[in-house]
Amino acid sequence: MDADTEVLLRLAFDRAPANQANQAIHRVREEVGGESAYATSYEILLPDGNVRAWLLDYQLPRLVDYLESRGAKLPHCGGVFLSVFSGDTLHFIHARDAVALFSQWSGLSFDELRKRYGPR
């Protein structure tokens, strides 16, 4: 596992075996959403290499567009968590934490991310 993958996966607030993904995602939705809201899982399967470049070039534009389109505005990204598959483990990361890391890695502020990748 490369250093960038380790940095990302250290943000995880929970983990589960990947072969129990459906049950684990359901559980985390209920925990994150609480009684009044239903949280949303944004699923990502990490590649074996070049994780930072892949996340910034491929996932970040899609993630920002998704978050902004559904009303989970940056930087808080309310109610959305990432379900990140890496090897045989599923890592749960709050979207706000992942976006903050991607902002740091890319050198783009939240406003710049919204302008560049948000809905038109």
Side-chain angles (χ1 to χ4, degrees):
M1 179 180 310
D2 69 12
D4 291 331
T5 302
E6 288 181 20
V7 169
L8 174 67
L9 297 182
R10 268 188 262 148
L11 297 175
F13 64 87
D14 200 350
R15 290 171 184 75
N19 64 359
Q20 297 175 9
N22 289 338
Q23 299 92 328
I25 290 170
H26 179 75
R27 175 182 54 78
V28 171
R29 275 188 184 127
E30 289 182 341
E31 291 172 3
V32 171
E35 291 183 23
S36 62
Y38 196 68
T40 303
S41 170
Y42 185 91
E43 297 173 16
I44 295 175
L45 174 62
L46 289 182
D48 289 333
N50 299 316
V51 169
R52 182 186 294 212
W54 181 79
L55 287 167
L56 295 180
D57 296 342
Y58 181 75
Q59 280 299 327
L60 180 58
R62 287 163 178 77
L63 178 59
V64 170
D65 181 62
Y66 173 79
L67 292 168
E68 290 288 311
S69 293
R70 78 175 303 275
K73 304 293 185 185
L74 275 58
H76 304 293
C77 311
V80 178
F81 62 92
L82 306 186
S83 298
V84 180
F85 291 86
S86 179
D88 61 356
T89 305
L90 177 57
H91 305 262
F92 298 105
I93 301 171
H94 292 290
R96 67 178 178 263
D97 297 337
V99 170
L101 177 63
F102 301 160
S103 171
Q104 177 187 356
W105 281 352
S106 69
L108 298 172
S109 69
F110 295 124
D111 284 338
E112 292 169 318
L113 290 172
R114 268 191 293 277
K115 288 176 188 170
R116 186 175 291 193
Y117 304 126
R120 306 259 181 245

